[in-house]
Amino acid sequence: MISDLHFLRPWWLMALILPPAVIWLSAQTLDIRRRWSGLIAPHLLDSLLVESDQRSNLRPAWLLAIVLGLSILGLAGPTWQREAPPFLADTAALVIAVDLSPTMDAVDISPSRIERAKLKIRDILATRQGARTGVVAYAGTAHLVVPLTDDNDLIETYTDALATRIMPKPGKDTSAALNLADSLMKAEGTPGTILLLTDGIEEGADAAANQIDSNLLVLGFGIGGAMKAAVSDSSSPDAAEAPHSSLDLDALRDMTRKMGAKVATMTDNDADVRWIALNIQANFIRQNTVNGDRWRDFGWWFMTPAVIAFALSFRRGWVVKVAALVLAMRLIAPIDVQAAGLADMWLTSDQQGRLAFERGQFERAASLFRDPNWRGVALYRAGRYQQAWKAFAMSDTADAWYNQGNCLIHTGEFDEAIAAYHKALEKRKPWPEAEANLAVAELLKKKQQEDDEEAQEPNEKPDSIQFDDKGKRGKAGVINMAEQTSEMWIRNIAVSPADLMARKFALEDRGAP
């Protein structure tokens, strides 16, 4: 913290000359002997002066100097900690690695471990609207199921089809799954979390886990001990045929501790899903706070001791002196101030806007903010993208151009959005978030152009249609019905997602391109 300590507005520190100046001027003013030395002879002055024997250790001048010093330090903006930008709340990336080893078919939890894992994936996706999620499946080998995307319907289509039978090799290679998931995160370029849905972790996986940059969560599936024995004795056909492997929770916790991961077990309610969501967001905010470029202003901390020190001014004889000082400052720099209510007396417009923003009252916050960037953020959250763009356009910073691009994408102005992202990247590079949004804007522009071209294709009817009844007939050909039937069958075949993934994984395992 000490190494990161600095001031956001260091020029205010030049005003620290005022507190000692106030003390010096006060000492000069209270020196009665100096004031009368020019009017009374020195040998008479000692006999004429009457000074109080009791002197207060805390004089008004010292109090004023303390208040000024604290206020100046607060205005200088001391900071030692970074904070996450306001637009990062819904962009926490997540890669879910699903264990498809044969033990996941165990029915110690109903209907089975793998089926319950797929239901949990649906619950997790429901908490991540607008966030990017990817899925990896692993057993003896690890394979990509769905790359990072915010299309939850696409993810559910493929995760619902996950089954242990689609894996080309049995086993449990957690290291390969972690490496594949981490490569997805690195390609994304933003901090994220890897979530393992498994019933166990083999020895040696901690070496791979300690090499990845992403945060790791583990959700265990299965039961152990007496409960496992009771399930094994069940007369259910599924219980008799399904493999039995109890969940060794102690071993799982021991391994995850070596891996530096957090572990939890599946619950019948949504407690595990809420635990996952909170850890994903906390990890994301913490990483962006450490690596971000926004510093938190702690200047307001100095206001509390300043107010306490100023409260001492109500001692006898001090009110008039302080009031005279305030009146003098008012005459030197007159400012029209009106208090429309209690909040206006104690909070600035930006402070009131921040309170409304934190309560989710974005429309009201936008009307209160005077800072254009915060007003733009409030308007953006309220869905008023055009007005938010105008607010961000009042600044020429990298963040302002980046936020303008986000607004312009929502209004469908892709050319302007691309230009805004380029301006942001000119001012700050590398910037993975801006580069990713730039790629999205270019894809949307390309799709818009394709749609426009399709809409402009001629669709007019021909002026006339003529048939040549006297023309020569062609020679009779021979059609191979077997080839035609095969071609039609291939063209019309419907492949299920499970079969498609099984073929894909098998080709990847054989090293096919």
Side-chain angles (χ1 to χ4, degrees):
M1 185 180 73
I2 299 299
S3 61
D4 292 333
L5 177 63
H6 65 282
F7 293 90
L8 299 176
R9 297 171 291 275
W11 54 86
W12 272 103
L13 296 177
M14 298 175 62
L16 286 175
I17 195 175
L18 292 178
V22 168
I23 296 174
W24 182 80
L25 289 173
S26 174
Q28 297 298 315
T29 303
L30 296 176
D31 189 353
I32 301 176
R33 182 179 296 277
R34 180 177 177 276
R35 290 165 56 186
W36 290 99
S37 60
L39 300 175
I40 302 175
H43 64 283
L44 298 175
L45 187 59
D46 292 337
S47 300
L48 295 175
L49 286 178
V50 179
E51 296 181 348
S52 175
D53 294 334
Q54 296 181 351
R55 294 188 177 183
S56 174
N57 294 326
L58 187 61
R59 297 178 178 273
W62 284 91
L63 175 66
L64 179 60
I66 293 173
V67 172
L68 283 175
L70 292 172
S71 300
I72 291 169
L73 289 175
L75 290 171
T79 182
W80 55 85
Q81 187 179 87
R82 297 180 186 271
E83 64 179 353
F87 284 99
L88 292 177
D90 299 326
T91 57
L94 171 67
V95 175
I96 303 175
V98 186
D99 184 357
L100 294 184
S101 57
T103 55
M104 288 294 286
D105 282 330
V107 294
D108 50 352
I109 53 176
S110 178
S112 68
R113 295 177 184 177
I114 183 59
E115 291 301 324
R116 187 64 69 90
K118 291 190 286 186
L119 291 175
K120 289 298 179 182
I121 292 176
R122 279 182 168 268
D123 294 338
I124 294 169
L125 293 176
T127 66
R128 297 177 46 76
Q129 297 298 328
R132 294 170 65 79
T133 306
V135 180
V136 169
Y138 73 98
T141 54
H143 304 274
L144 177 63
V145 177
V146 180
L148 284 164
T149 178
D150 57 2
D151 189 346
N152 289 348
D153 292 336
L154 176 65
I155 298 173
E156 290 178 1
T157 299
Y158 282 91
T159 55
D160 287 347
L162 291 178
T164 58
R165 65 176 179 82
I166 69 174
M167 302 306 295
K169 286 184 179 179
K172 195 187 296 286
D173 193 347
T174 306
S175 299
L178 292 176
N179 291 330
L180 178 56
D182 191 53
S183 66
L184 292 178
M185 286 296 183
K186 290 179 179 177
E188 181 76 358
T190 59
T193 300
I194 297 174
L195 171 63
L196 283 178
L197 304 183
T198 181
D199 58 2
I201 298 176
E202 74 281 6
E203 292 289 340
D206 55 322
N210 293 327
Q211 294 179 356
I212 65 176
D213 298 329
S214 304
N215 291 283
L216 183 60
L217 301 176
V218 179
L219 185 64
F221 288 80
I223 57 177
M227 294 183 69
K228 178 254 181 182
V231 173
S232 301
D233 294 337
S234 172
S235 60
S236 169
D238 292 336
E241 296 177 4
H244 297 295
S245 174
S246 61
L247 177 63
D248 190 345
L249 187 57
D250 293 335
L252 184 63
R253 286 174 175 168
D254 181 63
M255 184 57 63
T256 51
R257 185 169 57 252
K258 295 179 182 178
M259 297 165 63
K262 294 182 179 180
V263 61
T265 54
M266 183 220 72
T267 62
D268 292 332
N269 53 23
D270 64 344
D272 50 357
V273 175
R274 287 187 281 108
W275 175 81
I276 291 170
L278 289 174
N279 276 280
I280 291 171
Q281 198 62 36
N283 292 337
F284 184 73
I285 292 175
R286 181 171 60 253
Q287 291 190 23
N288 279 282
T289 298
V290 172
N291 302 322
D293 61 349
R294 296 169 60 92
W295 292 92
R296 182 175 298 173
D297 190 344
F298 289 98
W300 62 272
W301 280 19
F302 289 86
M303 294 301 101
T304 300
V307 169
I308 294 174
F310 200 75
L312 297 175
S313 65
F314 288 93
R315 295 181 61 183
R316 186 180 63 180
W318 289 28
V319 175
V320 175
K321 297 175 182 179
V322 175
L325 175 65
V326 174
L327 180 61
M329 295 177 63
R330 176 70 175 83
L331 293 175
I332 295 172
I335 301 175
D336 293 332
V337 178
Q338 295 180 352
L342 185 61
D344 292 332
M345 294 175 63
W346 299 101
L347 299 175
T348 65
S349 297
D350 285 336
Q351 290 171 335
Q352 296 178 52
R354 185 62 182 265
L355 289 175
F357 185 90
E358 292 176 351
R359 294 169 182 166
Q361 302 170 353
F362 303 122
E363 291 280 358
R364 184 170 182 273
S367 64
L368 291 170
F369 277 127
R370 294 295 175 265
D371 183 272
N373 290 322
W374 273 109
R375 186 168 66 253
V377 172
L379 290 168
Y380 184 94
R381 293 291 180 86
R384 296 166 58 184
Y385 304 113
Q386 189 67 28
Q387 293 87 340
W389 169 75
K390 293 179 181 179
F392 290 130
M394 298 176 67
S395 303
D396 189 29
T397 63
D399 285 331
W401 283 108
Y402 173 76
N403 294 335
Q404 288 181 55
N406 293 342
C407 297
L408 291 166
I409 281 185
H410 282 283
T411 59
E413 301 172 76
F414 303 125
D415 289 327
E416 291 80 358
I418 292 171
Y421 288 130
H422 279 299
K423 291 288 291 185
L425 290 171
E426 288 176 7
K427 295 181 177 293
R428 185 195 308 166
K429 202 168 185 180
W431 193 354
E433 291 86 356
E435 293 171 357
N437 287 7
L438 173 61
V440 171
E442 290 174 344
L443 287 174
L444 292 173
K445 177 186 175 183
K446 182 179 179 181
K447 185 177 185 303
Q448 186 183 55
Q449 291 175 343
E450 292 175 352
D451 293 341
D452 292 342
E453 290 175 0
E454 291 179 1
Q456 293 175 0
E457 290 183 358
N459 193 23
E460 299 179 357
K461 295 181 179 180
D463 295 333
S464 62
I465 300 177
Q466 295 183 355
F467 297 95
D468 187 7
D469 295 334
K470 299 180 180 180
K472 296 182 178 179
R473 297 179 179 271
K475 294 182 179 179
V478 178
I479 300 177
N480 191 329
M481 293 302 295
E483 292 181 0
Q484 185 185 34
T485 303
S486 176
E487 182 181 353
M488 293 174 62
W489 179 82
I490 293 174
R491 187 165 53 246
N492 296 328
I493 188 173
V495 181
S496 68
D499 293 336
L500 182 63
M501 286 188 290
R503 296 176 188 177
K504 174 178 176 292
F505 297 167
L507 290 173
E508 290 175 350
D509 182 50
R510 291 199 298 264

